[in-house]
Amino acid sequence: MPILGCLPTHRQASDQSLMMESSSSATTVAARRPRPHVVLVSSPGAGHLIPMSELARRLVAHHGLAATLVTFPDPSSSSSAAALLASLAGSGVATGTLPPVPLDDLPAAARPETKVLALVARSVPHLRALLQDAVSASTSGGATRLAALVPDLFCAATLPLAAELGVPGSRAVCGCGARTSPRGSGTVTQLSSPAASSAVCSTDSASELPNETYTTDPHARGWVVRMPSLDVDGGQSSSTGKKKNDPLTWLPEGFLERTKGRGLAVPTWAPQVRVLVHPATAAFVSHCGWNSTLESVSAGVPMIAWPLYAEQRMNAVFLTEHAGLALRPRAREEDGVVPREEVAAAVRELMEGAEKGRAVRRQAGHMQQAAARAWGPEGSSRRALEEVVGKLKAVGGHVASKATRDGPCV
């Protein structure tokens, strides 16, 4: 066969040349298009910052977007917030804290959510300036283009800025901090108990812990203890000598000594996901915030529902009466207090019970599998996030590379 028969004709060569030039031109245009830039706004507090930071990480690492996480000054947990924002260094997520605003005109007895809503509303001018800078940078040939404003549930007052600047705005109400991890994949050196033999308690106040509930039970325990909401001056209560910045001093007298060797009290915050996936963790005493709920479900850990405020009571009803994922100790009718005996009985039933406890443990395992499927390659959660990202890329004029489109998203 003549080799010349394999060579393209002049017309074919011309067409191929045009196709190559067109492809090169398209690649150049795509490279010049700015990346969509998503600004996420988180209300103060680790429970809000954690899921928003996780969402920001995913948008950058797995979807090729640019992301900035903006929050507000929070004197009550400034060290936790600073540590969390610092952990984003090197992730490609930009961070920023808006300037303080005066709140001294609010009543001294104002509820925390009232203070947060006022803080957000009064910070809108500062956020507007930040967003205007982002818009100016994108219109002057910058590498990114503002594509969306995503505030969390408590930051709805910032949504009008999206319409003002002509970008999409949507509240983030999902618990993005929930990561699907197999049991046993985490390593928590403080938990050295045998598999499925420990209960973990997350509490917002050391004063909530019953004095004897956990000290006479044979199971090992882990407690994550935060400060009670008390207004004491000078960092210390003159009447009790308990330190304002040390929640462990507010534990019942002798508590740490009686639990020594089979319990661990952690002040303020702990790596909850790593604790929940640890094989020694068999139960989780939780206030039923949605972040903790999703993390517990993803880890396959059944719960003791002990709600306090916000949407926690609604979540507790769902978990106990509908999903079958938790047991709930009964509160006294006369004062609403949950007796220590009720908490102890619920923990024992959940960890050892042959009827209710076994049913909840079994359901927790089923839901863990369902959560894994939802975040699997064809899962509903993964597809939902990919759909949102696709819309953001369309707004931002970004053409993703095949590696970005087809790369892993975990």
Side-chain angles (χ1 to χ4, degrees), residues 27 63 167 193 246 345 355 366:
T27 302
H63 297 284
V167 298
S193 306
D246 185 1
E355 296 183 9
H366 293 333

Side-chain angles (χ1 to χ4, degrees), residues 178-179 181-186 188 191 199-202 271-286 291-303 368:
R179 310 174 193 178
S181 304
R183 295 296 305 277
S185 65
V188 182
L191 289 179
V200 176
C201 176
S202 175
Q272 185 164 291
V273 172
R274 292 172 58 199
V275 172
L276 288 172
V277 300
H278 194 279
T281 302
F284 183 29
V285 182
S286 171
N291 290 337
S292 295
T293 296
L294 293 183
E295 290 169 357
S296 192
V297 168
S298 297
V301 177
M303 287 167 273
Q368 181 188 24

Side-chain angles (χ1 to χ4, degrees), residues 216-241:
T216 58
D217 191 274
H219 297 103
R221 311 288 187 197
W223 303 270
V224 182
V225 186
R226 295 175 62 189
M227 285 296 301
S229 299
L230 299 176
D231 185 14
V232 292
D233 298 325
Q236 183 168 324
S237 170
S238 57
S239 59
T240 63

Side-chain angles (χ1 to χ4, degrees), residues 72-73 75 98-106 115-127:
F72 306 83
L98 297 177
V101 294
L103 298 173
D104 50 7
D105 59 315
L106 296 178
K115 295 179 180 179
V116 169
L117 293 175
L119 172 64
V120 172
R122 297 179 186 187
S123 299
V124 166
H126 296 304
L127 181 60

Side-chain angles (χ1 to χ4, degrees), residues 19-168:
M19 291 175 61
M20 293 177 63
E21 290 177 4
S22 176
S23 175
S24 176
S25 176
T27 302
T28 303
V29 171
R32 290 176 180 173
R33 287 177 177 171
R35 283 197 302 161
H37 180 192
V38 180
V39 175
L40 302 98
V41 184
S42 171
S43 49
H48 301 279
L49 278 170
I50 289 173
M52 293 295 275
S53 65
E54 182 68 16
L55 176 58
R57 287 179 193 270
R58 292 178 185 274
L59 293 177
V60 171
H62 303 301
H63 297 284
L65 304 185
T68 298
L69 177 60
V70 179
T71 189
F72 306 83
D74 181 16
S76 64
S77 61
S78 57
S79 59
S80 299
L84 182 57
L85 294 177
S87 72
L88 292 171
S91 67
V93 177
T95 62
T97 302
L98 297 177
V101 294
L103 298 173
D104 50 7
D105 59 315
L106 296 178
R111 296 177 63 86
E113 55 267 34
T114 300
K115 295 179 180 179
V116 169
L117 293 175
L119 172 64
V120 172
R122 297 179 186 187
S123 299
V124 166
H126 296 304
L127 181 60
R128 177 185 288 110
L130 184 150
L131 295 174
Q132 287 174 338
D133 288 344
V135 171
S136 298
S138 63
T139 56
S140 60
T144 64
R145 177 183 177 185
L146 185 62
L149 174 67
V150 184
D152 72 14
L153 189 63
F154 283 96
C155 297
T158 67
L159 276 175
L161 292 177
E164 182 181 316
L165 298 171
V167 298

Side-chain angles (χ1 to χ4, degrees), residues 199-210 214 221-229 247-248 250-252 255 264-270 272 284-289 292 304-309 312 338 343:
V200 176
C201 176
S202 175
T203 172
D204 279 340
S205 171
S207 60
E208 297 167 16
L209 287 174
Y214 301 114
R221 311 288 187 197
W223 303 270
V224 182
V225 186
R226 295 175 62 189
M227 285 296 301
S229 299
L248 298 185
W250 292 83
L251 289 168
F255 184 90
L264 176 69
V266 180
T268 308
W269 294 100
Q272 185 164 291
F284 183 29
V285 182
S286 171
H287 289 324
C288 303
S292 295
I304 301 292
W306 193 349
L308 291 182
Y309 49 76
Q312 295 171 359
V338 178
V343 178

